Amino acid sequence: EFLGALRKHGELIDIDRPVALELEVAKALRKSASVGGPACVFKNNGTRFPLVAGVYNTRAKALIALEATEDTIFERILSGLAKRIPPVIVKDAPVHENVITGDAIDLSALPVPKYSPDDGGPYITPGIVVSRDPETGIPDIGHYRFEIIDKTTMSFNPLPLHRLGKHVAKARALGHTTYRAAVVIGVDPVLAYTAPIQVAEGTNDFELAGGLRGAPIELVHAKTVDLDVPARAEFVIEFEADLTKTVMEGPLGEYTGYYSPAALQPVARVLAITHRNDACFQGLLTGVPPTENHILKQVPYEASFLAMMRQQFPTVSKVSIPSSGGVSYRIVMAMQPRFAGEARSALLAAIASNFRPKMVVVVDPDIDVHSSAEVEWAMAFRTQPARDAVIVDGLPGGPLDPMADESLPATMRTGSAIGIDATFPFGLPVRKAGEAAANVCGPALAEHGREYIEVADVPGWKDYDFPELRKRAGA
């Protein structure tokens, strides 16, 4: 249905000519994404399965996926988070129309691309792992990368700060030598946008997805692992990770725009591959921002961060977690401080959050948090660095930070963060352009030498009809 909606909006094209999985698919995806272009169906890729990729490469496609507009998208997600709907279990599922086990398992039959020249091998990048906490039994869904080793084995990177990594660590601590999970590929986009949402660890993500969908997610019990998986997925790869054996996994051109170096990671033995009739496999370009995985993370990250911050700081009105910062390392939020120091409290709360940003900027509500020029303007003219900048060291390192000390295990890496309060000093009256002086009240501040600071701007310029400029832009 999602692919049909993309095609209806002119956001999906078929490519019938031969396209190589190694690097050529990546070139096509990069080219299309650079101009906000359509998703692609690579029909002639050397396998019998079409490869669909680029379905999350623009914000416009995100709005189609979530059936929303820019004006309604945040409310759509926040209301879904507030109204969780449990999944339902079905017996007959499209994803079980074909079940491949034993000697018939062959990962090389799947169209898995190699995206960057120095990648360690072909990578499944859009896979959503369904895993279960070995102590509580609560399921989780999250995006993780899988490198193909041979026909029956893969390796993956269970980052220790993410729930899959915590599940694997718990399994080891309990004395388990293996851990079973499943990789799901080609899903209702609501599941893809649910996976990055930041919520408490005891959350059942399928209930979140049900809230976002407005209806229960249909699950079916997997064939070889004790998990319930999305019944209407295109593919499910069920696997068993050997916790006693590791292999060099990587490098991979990651969301940071840098290669994450090769490292010893668990080996995953494939137990079963199930798929629909006439199934489509999925690809997802990674690398220098913005790419598809940045757009995929941005909407749920911004919405869940906004919801989290509003619980403590209700005047936070807008949030931007831009792709230039990997949709994690840089956060800009607008708020109206209610008392002196509240903006600083908010930026420190953001630094302490599980998003682990390296830079947080707080601005006044009149600043467009999505405009780098406006944010930089506020940073230049509404701050004094000695007063308004806060640096915190000794924080848990951000995931895959290329500036971290890679000689240390991931659990031992630390980093630092800077917070910048770019709001006007609390109590300082500000007059917007065109506003009468009588509307501005409050005590004068001697350090500024006048009763108020006035924002100088030309009223109505955004609505000015400029046909010559419009014609040039359309030429």
Side-chain angles (χ1 to χ4, degrees):
E1 291 176 357
F2 177 42
L3 296 181
L6 290 178
R7 196 178 294 278
K8 179 181 177 181
H9 286 84
E11 295 281 7
L12 182 68
I13 59 173
D14 296 312
I15 300 177
D16 295 316
R17 61 181 170 83
V19 177
L21 291 172
E22 184 162 340
L23 301 183
E24 188 178 0
V25 163
K27 291 177 182 177
L29 295 176
R30 186 77 163 135
K31 181 76 171 181
S32 181
S34 69
V35 294
C40 303
V41 183
F42 300 98
K43 293 185 173 181
N44 193 346
N45 60 60
T47 77
R48 68 186 182 91
F49 299 108
L51 176 67
V52 179
V55 296
Y56 305 119
N57 69 358
T58 62
R59 198 169 176 97
K61 295 181 184 65
L63 298 178
I64 294 171
L66 295 170
E67 300 173 283
T69 66
E70 284 289 1
D71 292 334
T72 63
I73 183 64
F74 272 21
E75 182 55 39
R76 167 96 162 76
I77 294 176
L78 295 179
S79 62
L81 291 175
K83 185 181 180 182
R84 302 178 183 184
I85 300 176
V88 296
I89 307 299
V90 299
K91 292 185 177 180
D92 297 320
V95 76
H96 284 165
E97 290 171 341
N98 299 270
V99 179
I100 303 166
T101 58
D103 293 339
I105 294 172
D106 184 2
L107 292 170
S108 67
L110 304 177
V112 182
K114 182 178 179 181
Y115 294 101
S116 299
D118 292 332
D119 285 354
Y123 264 90
I124 297 174
T125 49
I128 297 174
V129 174
V130 180
S131 64
R132 177 180 288 169
D133 187 310
E135 290 182 323
T136 67
I138 296 173
D140 173 65
I141 59 174
H143 287 108
Y144 299 90
R145 70 196 206 191
F146 282 77
E147 182 179 1
I148 306 299
I149 298 174
D150 56 36
K151 288 184 177 183
T152 60
T153 55
M154 310 178 290
S155 185
F156 63 107
N157 184 3
L159 293 168
L161 301 178
H162 292 194
R163 283 173 75 179
L164 175 61
K166 293 175 181 178
H167 292 174
V168 169
K170 280 187 178 182
R172 283 198 178 103
L174 292 170
H176 299 172
T177 58
T178 61
Y179 181 79
R180 292 189 172 190
V183 188
V184 184
I185 299 155
V187 295
D188 175 349
V190 161
L191 286 170
Y193 282 99
T194 298
I197 290 177
Q198 299 293 298
V199 288
E201 290 188 17
T203 303
N204 183 329
D205 286 348
F206 288 121
E207 295 180 357
L208 285 185
L212 289 178
R213 171 51 64 209
I217 300 299
E218 292 185 353
L219 303 178
V220 66
H221 201 68
K223 292 295 184 179
T224 63
V225 298
D226 187 18
L227 288 168
D228 298 319
V229 297
R232 297 185 175 275
E234 297 289 313
F235 284 84
V236 172
I237 302 175
E238 303 174 14
F239 69 90
E240 181 179 77
D242 186 340
L243 303 185
T244 67
K245 184 186 296 185
T246 58
V247 67
M248 291 302 291
E249 182 265 351
L252 175 68
E254 265 287 0
Y255 74 95
T256 59
Y258 296 86
Y259 284 97
S260 60
L264 291 171
Q265 300 293 357
V267 174
R269 179 173 62 92
V270 177
L271 303 175
I273 300 175
T274 71
H275 66 83
R276 302 172 69 126
N277 292 333
D278 302 317
C280 294
F281 203 75
Q282 187 182 353
L284 184 147
L285 181 65
T286 64
V288 176
T291 57
E292 193 172 353
N293 59 341
H294 301 101
I295 304 300
L296 179 60
K297 291 193 298 185
Q298 188 172 33
V299 171
Y301 268 32
E302 289 178 347
S304 53
F305 180 80
L306 180 63
M308 178 193 73
M309 292 300 296
R310 279 181 173 172
Q311 292 179 8
Q312 187 174 354
F313 305 97
T315 65
V316 173
S317 55
K318 294 180 180 178
V319 166
S320 172
I321 310 181
S323 57
S324 58
V327 196
S328 60
Y329 286 122
R330 185 169 185 264
I331 293 177
V332 182
M333 55 183 169
M335 70 179 298
Q336 183 64 61
R338 297 167 296 174
F339 45 81
E342 188 181 27
R344 178 170 293 212
S345 291
L347 67 84
L348 288 171
I351 287 173
S353 73
N354 197 47
F355 288 82
R356 306 189 193 285
K358 293 171 72 173
M359 173 179 284
V360 177
V361 181
V362 186
V363 295
D364 294 292
D366 66 311
I367 297 295
D368 180 0
V369 295
H370 298 289
S371 167
S372 59
E374 290 195 26
V375 173
E376 290 165 10
W377 178 58
M379 291 170 64
F381 298 109
R382 299 185 182 182
T383 66
Q384 284 294 337
R387 178 191 66 200
D388 298 316
V390 178
I391 295 178
V392 183
D393 199 4
L395 298 168
L400 303 181
D401 183 356
M403 295 295 104
D405 184 353
E406 293 172 349
S407 67
L408 296 173
T411 54
M412 296 179 63
R413 296 174 191 171
T414 60
S416 58
I418 182 171
I420 299 174
D421 177 3
T423 61
F424 277 105
F426 183 79
L428 173 63
V430 180
R431 187 172 84 184
K432 305 297 188 298
E435 184 179 17
N439 294 332
V440 179
C441 59
L445 296 185
E447 65 177 287
H448 293 281
R450 47 188 124 130
E451 294 182 355
Y452 55 80
I453 290 181
E454 182 175 3
V455 175
D457 199 4
V458 180
W461 69 269
K462 291 184 179 180
D463 298 324
Y464 172 65
D465 185 19
F466 195 162
E468 296 86 355
L469 186 62
R470 187 172 65 251
K471 182 177 178 180
R472 184 180 183 279

